[in-house]
Amino acid sequence: MMDNAIEIKGLSKAYKGFALEDVTLAAPSGHIMGLIGPNGAGKTTIVKLIMNLIRRDAGEIRLFGLDNRRCEAEVKSRIGFVYDAPRFPEDLRLDTIASALSAFYDRWDEVRFKELLKEFCLPPRQAFKKLSHGMKMKFSLALALAHQADLILMDEPTAGLDPVFRFELLNRLQALIQSERKTVFFSSHITTDLERVADFVTFVHKGRIVFSAAKDSVLESWGVVRAKSDKLRPEDVPEARGHRRTEHSLEVLTSDLAAAGRLLGDRAVCDRASLEDIMFFVSKGNGHA
Amino acid sequence: MRIIISNSSPDPIYEQITRQIKSQIISGELKEGEALPSIRRLAMDLQISVITTKRAYEELEKEGFVDTVEGKGSFVAMQNKELLREKKMKIVEDKLAEAVAEARLLGITRAELEEMLGLLFAEKE
């Protein structure tokens, strides 16, 4: 029943000193998928490859079931790409940029666009170069919503935004998927944003996927086991995925909290892990991922 | 329908939702046949995942509290006999407890009370 807006198989791309390796994931239509990972994990590379802005070494990307290179024009007309550094001629006014772009989109909604500018407090006659970082992001989002994109693809949309607008943005994304045909895919290192609204979470670390799953099931199965250091060793914890030592205690991340609880419940504290815990232990702690 | 989600609760969010909807059905606050918000609408209102609200509704459906009609939405289940029976049993139980408390105050023994109950039953048959 669920078809996928994004389907990636075996995607690889090597740079000097960094490689994205064998990335496979699927983002079901009508849902919000968040892509998390520390800086430099490969999030932006994945987004750029989806947009076919850079060459891949191997792999396949299908958007709405179509190959993103062979059907590039068609798939791109259905994507709203939102990022904080969109490149437009610096001196052009926002309304001029929009009217030039609207020609490329069949479903452009001029009335909606004007409303959005008002809602986002963007003056239509403002020159693009006068916009702040956050305003550029808002402008880019207004364009995406005005051409009624089926897939909103965003790279770090909440970075550099004040909490009020971040909150508003997340609300808007949820309003968007009231239609089961719209899909949102966004990368972020701010895990609390995802913890709220994401339906699916993909965690990428050092160019590899650690997991790509329903957020609820991740938050239910992963946990942190804590005990005094003389009471617990990392190898005692089933499905250990990383650990951290402090002066007196040991904390171990596990991807099977239920098993850890059964085995160690009498000598350690077993808590659920947040996405932040997971990201921290796997990337900064002594990750065993 | 009012639902309040606590992020600090150890209970999973879908359970918090099912518990609150169930208690509102039992209390009569949500009436039989009443439409529930769509899973997408509820997810947006509570700012949680669509998957969480979907799971909550599926649980409610499994337990017979809610019916989902394809393309129309979810409704408080009609004539849930077991549920109604449970509700009514509770009323009987409460009244009996009252009677027992009263009997204790008056020093009526269990045997005497049971005899009264037997007589009352016989009267109606």
Side-chain angles (χ1 to χ4, degrees), chain A residues 202-230:
Chain A
T202 298
F203 178 23
V204 59
H205 177 53
K206 288 187 178 163
R208 287 174 171 276
I209 301 279
V210 179
F211 58 73
S212 183
K215 181 195 67 190
D216 287 3
S217 67
V218 170
L219 294 180
E220 265 169 47
S221 54
W222 290 64
V224 177
V225 181
R226 294 182 175 89
K228 286 201 177 136
S229 11
D230 56 341

Short mmCIF file of all heavy atoms in Angstrom, two decimals, chain A residues 202-230:
data_model
loop_
_atom_site.label_atom_id
_atom_site.label_comp_id
_atom_site.label_asym_id
_atom_site.label_seq_id
_atom_site.Cartn_x
_atom_site.Cartn_y
_atom_site.Cartn_z
N THR A 202 16.62 8.11 9.40
CA THR A 202 17.79 7.45 8.85
C THR A 202 19.00 8.07 9.50
O THR A 202 19.13 9.29 9.52
CB THR A 202 17.85 7.63 7.31
OG1 THR A 202 16.70 7.03 6.75
CG2 THR A 202 19.10 6.99 6.73
N PHE A 203 19.85 7.22 10.05
CA PHE A 203 21.04 7.72 10.73
C PHE A 203 22.26 7.34 9.91
O PHE A 203 22.50 6.17 9.64
CB PHE A 203 21.10 7.10 12.13
CG PHE A 203 22.33 7.50 12.93
CD1 PHE A 203 23.04 8.66 12.67
CD2 PHE A 203 22.76 6.69 13.98
CE1 PHE A 203 24.16 9.02 13.42
CE2 PHE A 203 23.88 7.03 14.74
CZ PHE A 203 24.58 8.20 14.45
N VAL A 204 22.99 8.36 9.49
CA VAL A 204 24.18 8.11 8.69
C VAL A 204 25.40 8.54 9.49
O VAL A 204 25.39 9.55 10.18
CB VAL A 204 24.08 8.81 7.30
CG1 VAL A 204 23.92 10.31 7.45
CG2 VAL A 204 25.28 8.51 6.43
N HIS A 205 26.42 7.71 9.43
CA HIS A 205 27.65 8.00 10.18
C HIS A 205 28.84 7.51 9.37
O HIS A 205 28.85 6.36 8.93
CB HIS A 205 27.60 7.29 11.54
CG HIS A 205 28.85 7.46 12.35
ND1 HIS A 205 29.38 8.71 12.61
CD2 HIS A 205 29.67 6.57 12.93
CE1 HIS A 205 30.48 8.55 13.34
NE2 HIS A 205 30.68 7.27 13.53
N LYS A 206 29.80 8.39 9.17
CA LYS A 206 30.98 8.08 8.37
C LYS A 206 30.62 7.46 7.02
O LYS A 206 31.19 6.45 6.60
CB LYS A 206 31.90 7.12 9.15
CG LYS A 206 32.60 7.81 10.31
CD LYS A 206 33.63 6.89 10.95
CE LYS A 206 34.36 7.59 12.07
NZ LYS A 206 35.05 6.64 12.96
N GLY A 207 29.62 8.04 6.40
CA GLY A 207 29.26 7.62 5.04
C GLY A 207 28.47 6.34 4.94
O GLY A 207 28.21 5.86 3.85
N ARG A 208 28.09 5.78 6.09
CA ARG A 208 27.32 4.54 6.07
C ARG A 208 26.02 4.70 6.86
O ARG A 208 25.97 5.47 7.82
CB ARG A 208 28.11 3.40 6.69
CG ARG A 208 29.23 2.89 5.83
CD ARG A 208 30.05 1.85 6.57
NE ARG A 208 30.98 1.21 5.65
CZ ARG A 208 30.66 0.20 4.86
NH1 ARG A 208 29.45 -0.32 4.89
NH2 ARG A 208 31.57 -0.32 4.05
N ILE A 209 25.02 3.92 6.45
CA ILE A 209 23.75 3.96 7.17
C ILE A 209 23.87 3.11 8.44
O ILE A 209 24.24 1.94 8.37
CB ILE A 209 22.61 3.37 6.29
CG1 ILE A 209 22.47 4.16 4.99
CG2 ILE A 209 21.31 3.31 7.07
CD1 ILE A 209 21.68 5.43 5.10
N VAL A 210 23.58 3.70 9.58
CA VAL A 210 23.55 2.92 10.82
C VAL A 210 22.18 2.24 10.96
O VAL A 210 22.08 1.07 11.26
CB VAL A 210 23.86 3.79 12.06
CG1 VAL A 210 23.82 2.97 13.33
CG2 VAL A 210 25.22 4.48 11.90
N PHE A 211 21.13 3.02 10.73
CA PHE A 211 19.79 2.43 10.61
C PHE A 211 18.89 3.36 9.82
O PHE A 211 19.16 4.55 9.72
CB PHE A 211 19.16 2.11 11.98
CG PHE A 211 19.02 3.30 12.89
CD1 PHE A 211 18.06 4.27 12.65
CD2 PHE A 211 19.84 3.44 14.00
CE1 PHE A 211 17.92 5.37 13.49
CE2 PHE A 211 19.72 4.54 14.84
CZ PHE A 211 18.76 5.50 14.59
N SER A 212 17.85 2.79 9.25
CA SER A 212 16.83 3.57 8.57
C SER A 212 15.52 2.87 8.92
O SER A 212 15.26 1.78 8.45
CB SER A 212 17.07 3.56 7.06
OG SER A 212 16.12 4.38 6.42
N ALA A 213 14.74 3.47 9.82
CA ALA A 213 13.59 2.76 10.37
C ALA A 213 12.54 3.73 10.89
O ALA A 213 12.79 4.94 10.97
CB ALA A 213 14.05 1.85 11.51
N ALA A 214 11.38 3.20 11.27
CA ALA A 214 10.34 4.02 11.88
C ALA A 214 10.88 4.58 13.19
O ALA A 214 11.46 3.84 13.99
CB ALA A 214 9.08 3.20 12.13
N LYS A 215 10.68 5.87 13.40
CA LYS A 215 11.24 6.51 14.60
C LYS A 215 10.75 5.83 15.88
O LYS A 215 11.53 5.60 16.80
CB LYS A 215 10.85 7.99 14.61
CG LYS A 215 11.40 8.74 15.81
CD LYS A 215 10.71 10.08 15.97
CE LYS A 215 9.26 9.88 16.35
NZ LYS A 215 8.49 11.13 16.29
N ASP A 216 9.45 5.52 15.92
CA ASP A 216 8.90 4.89 17.13
C ASP A 216 9.63 3.60 17.47
O ASP A 216 9.91 3.33 18.64
CB ASP A 216 7.42 4.56 16.94
CG ASP A 216 6.57 5.83 16.99
OD1 ASP A 216 7.15 6.92 17.11
OD2 ASP A 216 5.33 5.70 16.90
N SER A 217 9.92 2.79 16.45
CA SER A 217 10.54 1.52 16.77
C SER A 217 12.00 1.71 17.21
O SER A 217 12.50 0.98 18.05
CB SER A 217 10.41 0.52 15.61
OG SER A 217 11.16 0.97 14.52
N VAL A 218 12.65 2.73 16.66
CA VAL A 218 14.02 3.03 17.10
C VAL A 218 14.00 3.45 18.58
O VAL A 218 14.74 2.92 19.41
CB VAL A 218 14.64 4.17 16.26
CG1 VAL A 218 15.95 4.65 16.87
CG2 VAL A 218 14.87 3.71 14.83
N LEU A 219 13.07 4.37 18.89
CA LEU A 219 13.04 4.89 20.26
C LEU A 219 12.58 3.83 21.25
O LEU A 219 12.89 3.90 22.44
CB LEU A 219 12.13 6.13 20.34
CG LEU A 219 12.65 7.35 19.57
CD1 LEU A 219 11.70 8.51 19.73
CD2 LEU A 219 14.05 7.75 20.03
N GLU A 220 11.84 2.83 20.78
CA GLU A 220 11.42 1.76 21.68
C GLU A 220 12.52 0.72 21.90
O GLU A 220 12.58 0.10 22.95
CB GLU A 220 10.19 1.05 21.12
CG GLU A 220 8.90 1.61 21.67
CD GLU A 220 7.70 1.09 20.92
OE1 GLU A 220 7.63 -0.14 20.68
OE2 GLU A 220 6.85 1.92 20.55
N SER A 221 13.34 0.50 20.89
CA SER A 221 14.29 -0.60 21.03
C SER A 221 15.68 -0.18 21.51
O SER A 221 16.38 -0.97 22.12
CB SER A 221 14.38 -1.41 19.73
OG SER A 221 14.69 -0.56 18.66
N TRP A 222 16.08 1.07 21.25
CA TRP A 222 17.41 1.48 21.69
C TRP A 222 17.35 2.00 23.13
O TRP A 222 16.36 2.58 23.55
CB TRP A 222 17.98 2.58 20.78
CG TRP A 222 18.34 2.09 19.41
CD1 TRP A 222 17.49 1.60 18.46
CD2 TRP A 222 19.65 2.04 18.82
NE1 TRP A 222 18.19 1.26 17.33
CE2 TRP A 222 19.51 1.52 17.52
CE3 TRP A 222 20.93 2.40 19.27
CZ2 TRP A 222 20.60 1.33 16.67
CZ3 TRP A 222 22.01 2.22 18.42
CH2 TRP A 222 21.84 1.68 17.13
N GLY A 223 18.45 1.79 23.86
CA GLY A 223 18.47 2.27 25.23
C GLY A 223 19.88 2.52 25.72
O GLY A 223 20.87 2.20 25.05
N VAL A 224 19.96 3.13 26.90
CA VAL A 224 21.26 3.38 27.52
C VAL A 224 21.29 2.65 28.86
O VAL A 224 20.37 2.76 29.66
CB VAL A 224 21.51 4.89 27.74
CG1 VAL A 224 22.83 5.12 28.45
CG2 VAL A 224 21.47 5.65 26.42
N VAL A 225 22.33 1.86 29.06
CA VAL A 225 22.51 1.11 30.30
C VAL A 225 23.58 1.83 31.12
O VAL A 225 24.67 2.10 30.62
CB VAL A 225 22.96 -0.35 30.00
CG1 VAL A 225 23.13 -1.13 31.29
CG2 VAL A 225 21.97 -1.02 29.06
N ARG A 226 23.26 2.15 32.38
CA ARG A 226 24.21 2.88 33.22
C ARG A 226 24.49 2.10 34.49
O ARG A 226 23.57 1.58 35.11
CB ARG A 226 23.64 4.24 33.63
CG ARG A 226 23.46 5.20 32.49
CD ARG A 226 22.93 6.55 32.98
NE ARG A 226 22.87 7.48 31.86
CZ ARG A 226 21.82 7.62 31.06
NH1 ARG A 226 20.73 6.90 31.26
NH2 ARG A 226 21.84 8.47 30.06
N ALA A 227 25.77 2.06 34.87
CA ALA A 227 26.12 1.42 36.14
C ALA A 227 27.47 1.94 36.61
O ALA A 227 28.21 2.57 35.85
CB ALA A 227 26.17 -0.09 35.98
N LYS A 228 27.81 1.65 37.88
CA LYS A 228 29.15 1.98 38.36
C LYS A 228 30.15 1.14 37.58
O LYS A 228 29.87 -0.02 37.23
CB LYS A 228 29.25 1.66 39.85
CG LYS A 228 28.50 2.66 40.68
CD LYS A 228 29.02 2.66 42.10
CE LYS A 228 28.30 3.72 42.91
NZ LYS A 228 27.89 3.24 44.21
N SER A 229 31.32 1.73 37.33
CA SER A 229 32.25 1.06 36.42
C SER A 229 32.70 -0.32 36.92
O SER A 229 33.05 -1.17 36.12
CB SER A 229 33.47 1.93 36.13
OG SER A 229 33.52 3.03 36.97
N ASP A 230 32.67 -0.56 38.25
CA ASP A 230 33.09 -1.89 38.71
C ASP A 230 31.97 -2.92 38.61
O ASP A 230 32.17 -4.10 38.87
CB ASP A 230 33.63 -1.81 40.15
CG ASP A 230 32.61 -1.20 41.10
OD1 ASP A 230 31.67 -0.54 40.61
OD2 ASP A 230 32.75 -1.39 42.32
#
